[in-house]
Amino acid sequence: MLKDVHNSPAPEPTLTEDSDGHLYDPGVRSSMRAFALDDDTLALEAATAVRSASQSIDRLRAHGAGGRGLSSGALDLLTRLGNADPDGLTIGELARAAGVSSRNVTGLVDTLERETLARRVQHPEDRRSVRVTITPAGRDWLDAFRLPTQRAMSAVFRGFTPEELAQFRHLCLRLVVNQQHLEQYLAAGHS
């Protein structure tokens, strides 16, 4: 059962349309029917579709990374560093911007340093403050990555109207907001 849920579907051979013309994966639907307490599998199928779409984007990013082995998290940090002022950003600033823990960012910065794409430096005015800056090699890497990424995203979202893209972005971010509210609720001791 979990095999159908967690492995992203091959886009064309396994997907089909329902009576409303919406795509779905019959294998996932079947697995969700076996898993769900009732016949309402739509939210479960939607969650699986989001995961499959995310995995597809991550595979494209990894392919575009040219074998450098950068995760989507490391790519996100490198992009943020590429847009930061020359003094760079602290680990805490990077963590807040990316919505992850400082521990997670520390590991990602370690990866970027190993790849010589970023480096830790002491702030010139506050020696206690360590900041992360992009290296010239990191800027070159981002420049080389930019055009293939834009082309890949254009291909992935082929046929989407600007309105559909805005709505898709909105719906994905609503998921993020709902997840954050649920996490806060659970952290407050509710279950």
Side-chain angles (χ1 to χ4, degrees):
M1 175 172 82
L2 291 179
K3 178 178 170 276
D4 287 329
V5 174
H6 294 296
N7 289 338
S8 58
E12 295 181 82
T14 62
L15 299 182
T16 190
E17 288 185 7
D18 64 18
S19 60
D20 293 324
H22 297 124
L23 292 172
Y24 76 98
D25 183 322
V28 168
R29 181 166 288 174
S30 174
S31 294
M32 291 299 97
R33 280 195 178 125
F35 175 76
L37 298 175
D38 55 27
D39 279 342
D40 186 8
T41 63
L42 192 55
L44 295 170
E45 288 182 62
T48 303
V50 167
R51 183 166 188 252
S52 294
S54 176
Q55 289 172 338
S56 294
I57 298 295
D58 283 345
R59 278 194 300 276
L60 272 176
R61 279 183 159 181
H63 180 74
R68 282 227 63 167
L70 293 183
S71 67
S72 59
L75 287 170
D76 180 56
L77 290 189
L78 189 61
T79 301
R80 290 176 192 282
L81 291 170
N83 291 318
D85 19 328
D87 289 338
L89 299 166
T90 66
I91 296 287
E93 289 168 334
L94 284 167
R96 281 187 296 283
V100 297
S101 71
S102 293
R103 183 177 181 187
N104 189 341
V105 168
T106 298
L108 294 171
V109 169
D110 289 345
T111 298
L112 293 173
E113 279 191 311
R114 271 193 307 276
E115 295 289 329
T116 69
L117 302 175
R119 66 176 175 223
R120 289 177 176 91
V121 295
Q122 286 184 332
H123 191 279
E125 296 169 14
D126 182 0
R127 300 186 72 138
R128 295 169 296 163
S129 177
V130 175
R131 302 185 70 79
V132 182
T133 62
I134 192 168
T135 64
R139 287 200 186 283
D140 291 345
W141 193 91
L142 276 179
D143 287 342
F145 186 69
R146 185 173 289 113
L147 186 56
T149 299
Q150 288 173 333
R151 287 181 179 156
M153 291 306 106
S154 291
V156 165
F157 289 105
R158 178 180 44 122
F160 284 63
T161 66
E163 294 79 19
E164 288 171 328
L165 286 174
Q167 182 68 5
F168 183 70
R169 179 192 63 213
H170 172 74
L171 293 172
C172 288
L173 293 176
R174 277 182 54 194
L175 288 175
V176 170
V177 168
N178 287 349
Q179 182 276 331
Q180 290 169 341
H181 288 152
L182 180 58
E183 193 172 285
Q184 290 167 357
Y185 177 80
L186 294 173
H190 303 95
S191 39

